[in-house]
């Protein structure tokens, strides 16, 4: 009995859905799976994927990512409304979106704590993970969230603040075992950069476009995450935190905690990465 993590499945691609459906139903039958967002923007496909995973794992936990909250013409007029629809859908399917204590075969246990989130853009305040990039386009014209997410129900409130407050019930709960938390977005700047860059050399003033940068005008740090998440991770306190969003897989130790990214990603991306085969979930606990 173990706890696994996965994110950014993007099962809109038939190749990725085929990976889910190819998992033997008895392989993880006693295990738990944490899904850190970006499954699909289509509710019918989300239902199919979550049902398929529920048939293969004892418990499935889920937090939406930005793609999951994308809107369609005949869908919703607000991403918050779609979020709550997804929460109700998860409840009907038996997908877990609240903290739960998991008992392991060893007699040990761990708490799973979903953390809902969005990113803080620099114009919304100091909780942004923003670092300026030389030659960037501040308008982020190529960023699809600009056109496919809408927040009229928030009346101008930062979505990151909304989800920070949404997590407050989990923050006040008592945890009597190790905590494994997970979110879609990143909680700190250190996670943005490759693990081969020493923390003390991470740029704090301006990012220089690298050789063969496919989108030199795009600055990911504008939409990477929020330090509000880090506040909540520290408060839990989490032993392990799983996140997604960037498709840059890694396991890194920061301030006594283990941060893990294990994204399936797009079919054109490499199948094998620093955390192993991205076509299989990664075991988080007990850590191998």
């Amino acid at each position: 009995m173990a706890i696994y993590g996965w994110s950014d499945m993007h099962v809109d691609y038939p190749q990725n859905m085929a990976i889910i459906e190819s998992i033997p139903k008895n392989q993880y039958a006693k295990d738990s799976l944490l899904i850190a967002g970006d499954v699909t923007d289509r509710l019918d496909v989300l239902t199919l994927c979550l049902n398929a995973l529920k048939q293969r794992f004892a418990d499935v936990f889920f937090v939406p990512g930005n793609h999951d909250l994308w809107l369609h013409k005949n869908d919703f007029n607000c991403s918050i409304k779609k979020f709550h629809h997804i929460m109700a859908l998860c409840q009907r399917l038996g997908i877990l979106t609240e903290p739960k204590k998991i008992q392991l075969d060893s007699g040990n246990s761990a708490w799973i704590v979903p953390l809902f989130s969005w990113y803080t853009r620099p114009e919304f305040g100091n909780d942004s993970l923003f670092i300026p990039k030389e030659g960037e386009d501040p308008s982020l014209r190529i960023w699809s969230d600009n056109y496919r997410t809408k927040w009229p129900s928030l009346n101008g409130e930062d979505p990151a603040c909304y989800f920070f407050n949404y997590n407050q019930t989990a923050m006040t709960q008592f945890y009597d075992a190790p905590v494994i938390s997970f979110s879609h977005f990143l909680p700190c700047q250190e996670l943005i950069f490759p693990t081969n860059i020493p923390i003390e050399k991470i740029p704090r003033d301006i990012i220089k476009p690298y050789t063969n940068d496919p989108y030199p005008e795009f600055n990911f740090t504008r939409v990477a995450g929020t330090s509000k998440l880090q506040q909540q991770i520290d408060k839990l306190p989490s032993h392990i935190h799983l996140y997604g969003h960037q498709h840059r897989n890694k396991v890194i130790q920061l301030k006594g905690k283990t941060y893990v990214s294990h994204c399936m990603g797009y079919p054109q991306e490499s199948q094998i990465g620093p955390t192993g085969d991205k076509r299989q979930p990664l075991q988080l606990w007990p850590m191998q």
Side-chain angles (χ1 to χ4, degrees):
M1 189 179 296
I3 299 168
Y4 289 81
W6 224 352
S7 74
D8 299 79
M9 295 174 172
H10 295 291
V11 295
D12 307 283
Y13 294 91
Q15 306 98 306
N16 286 9
M17 181 63 90
I19 291 172
I20 302 298
E21 293 173 337
S22 70
I23 299 173
K25 290 188 177 180
N26 62 349
Q27 185 173 355
Y28 302 104
K30 294 183 178 181
D31 302 321
S32 299
L33 176 67
L34 319 186
I35 308 172
D38 273 12
V39 175
T40 173
D41 58 303
R42 292 172 49 191
L43 289 171
D44 57 337
V45 178
L46 178 63
T47 301
L48 288 172
C49 182
L50 292 178
N51 264 328
L53 291 167
K54 189 70 177 68
Q55 294 170 17
R56 289 161 170 81
F57 289 84
D59 286 310
V60 178
F61 294 79
F62 175 61
V63 296
N66 51 316
H67 283 243
D68 304 305
L69 299 188
W70 282 1
L71 303 175
H72 297 275
K73 287 184 179 179
N74 299 319
D75 198 335
F76 300 88
N77 64 359
C78 178
S79 293
I80 289 294
K81 291 182 179 179
K82 186 173 185 182
F83 166 75
H84 286 289
H85 181 90
I86 290 173
M87 292 298 97
L89 172 65
C90 287
Q91 186 173 22
R92 291 196 299 272
L93 297 177
I95 303 299
L96 300 169
T97 59
E98 297 179 351
K100 181 180 178 179
K101 190 176 183 179
I102 301 294
Q103 300 292 335
L104 304 178
D105 283 339
S106 62
N108 295 323
S109 57
W111 278 94
I112 308 301
V113 181
L115 292 178
F116 301 93
S117 59
W118 199 257
Y119 45 82
T120 301
R121 292 177 66 149
E123 56 267 30
F124 276 96
N126 295 330
D127 299 311
S128 175
L129 305 185
F130 171 66
I131 301 172
K133 180 180 180 182
E134 188 178 83
E136 67 177 298
D137 173 17
S139 71
L140 290 176
R141 282 174 293 182
I142 67 170
W143 186 238
S144 295
D145 288 3
N146 287 346
Y147 316 102
R148 305 196 67 176
T149 62
K150 297 179 181 179
W151 312 94
S153 299
L154 297 185
N155 297 316
E157 180 186 3
D158 179 9
C161 289
Y162 178 86
F163 289 112
F164 176 83
N165 292 327
Y166 189 89
N167 293 332
Q168 289 307 310
T169 300
M171 293 299 103
T172 59
Q173 189 163 330
F174 174 69
Y175 298 104
D176 58 356
V179 170
I180 301 174
S181 58
F182 69 108
S183 63
H184 180 66
F185 297 99
L186 284 66
C188 60
Q189 291 175 329
E190 287 85 352
L191 299 178
I192 297 172
F193 299 92
T195 53
N196 59 359
I197 297 179
I199 291 176
E200 63 273 11
K201 294 186 178 180
I202 289 175
R204 301 293 179 178
D205 51 354
I206 191 166
I207 300 169
K208 306 287 186 182
Y210 54 85
T211 305
N212 299 322
D213 186 343
Y215 305 106
E217 74 282 13
F218 176 65
N219 184 352
F220 175 74
T221 72
R222 288 181 175 271
V223 293
T226 176
S227 62
K228 291 180 182 297
L229 262 175
Q230 191 64 61
Q231 295 174 34
Q232 295 185 321
I233 292 167
D234 290 341
K235 186 176 179 179
L236 282 171
S238 302
H239 286 60
I240 300 172
H241 185 79
L242 173 74
Y243 66 96
H245 191 41
Q246 194 179 15
H247 297 203
R248 178 175 279 166
N249 293 352
K250 66 178 69 173
V251 178
I252 184 171
Q253 301 289 328
L254 286 173
K255 302 173 183 176
K257 304 178 190 296
T258 301
Y259 293 84
V260 180
S261 178
H262 185 69
C263 306
M264 182 185 295
Y266 300 127
Q268 66 268 27
E269 295 174 337
S270 174
Q271 295 176 341
I272 306 297
T275 52
D277 190 343
K278 298 189 287 187
R279 296 166 296 181
Q280 297 290 332
L282 179 69
Q283 185 171 323
L284 300 175
W285 189 267
M287 294 198 74
Q288 296 179 317

